[in-house]
Amino acid sequence: VIKGMSVVGMTIHDYEAALRRAAVQNRKSGAIYDALHVQAALKIKCDAIVTFDENDFSVLAGKDMVVLNPLTNKPPGKGNVRQSRPLLG
């Protein structure tokens, strides 16, 4: 899995955007880290984010990206997702 990952450099503007995203959704504490993950994924134009914490991530990601549970490969409350390209490449 590590071979398919890369480091995303975050600027002060990225941190501010993540904090705004969390504040708008009334998310606190550890959810700030979730918001930073969402911001990093948006920055590199990800179509989806894979997480076991799909409910919190779905709130933070909103309509900006698909959130998938790695065990079911389904977004919360929806059917199977048909992928046009692999999530990890």
Side-chain angles (χ1 to χ4, degrees), residues 35-54:
L36 288 167
H37 284 104
V38 169
Q39 183 62 32
L42 290 170
K43 183 173 183 168
I44 60 171
K45 298 178 174 45
C46 285
D47 298 321
I49 194 162
V50 181
T51 178
F52 290 108
D53 189 8
E54 71 241 52

Side-chain angles (χ1 to χ4, degrees):
V1 173
I2 291 176
K3 289 181 183 179
M5 295 183 181
S6 60
V7 175
V8 177
M10 301 283 280
T11 67
I12 188 71
H13 301 293
D14 295 320
Y15 277 83
E16 289 171 346
L19 291 173
R20 272 193 305 278
R21 182 177 291 272
V24 165
Q25 297 300 330
N26 198 28
R27 297 296 192 218
K28 302 170 187 160
S29 188
I32 300 301
Y33 295 104
D34 298 343
L36 288 167
H37 284 104
V38 169
Q39 183 62 32
L42 290 170
K43 183 173 183 168
I44 60 171
K45 298 178 174 45
C46 285
D47 298 321
I49 194 162
V50 181
T51 178
F52 290 108
D53 189 8
E54 71 241 52
N55 292 324
D56 284 340
F57 273 83
S58 292
V59 170
L60 289 165
K63 295 181 181 182
D64 294 329
M65 74 176 55
V66 174
V67 177
L68 299 174
N69 180 313
L71 298 178
T72 63
N73 201 29
K74 296 179 182 178
K78 299 184 181 167
N80 287 327
V81 172
R82 197 167 273 158
Q83 300 171 2
S84 59
R85 62 185 173 89
L87 295 178
L88 293 176

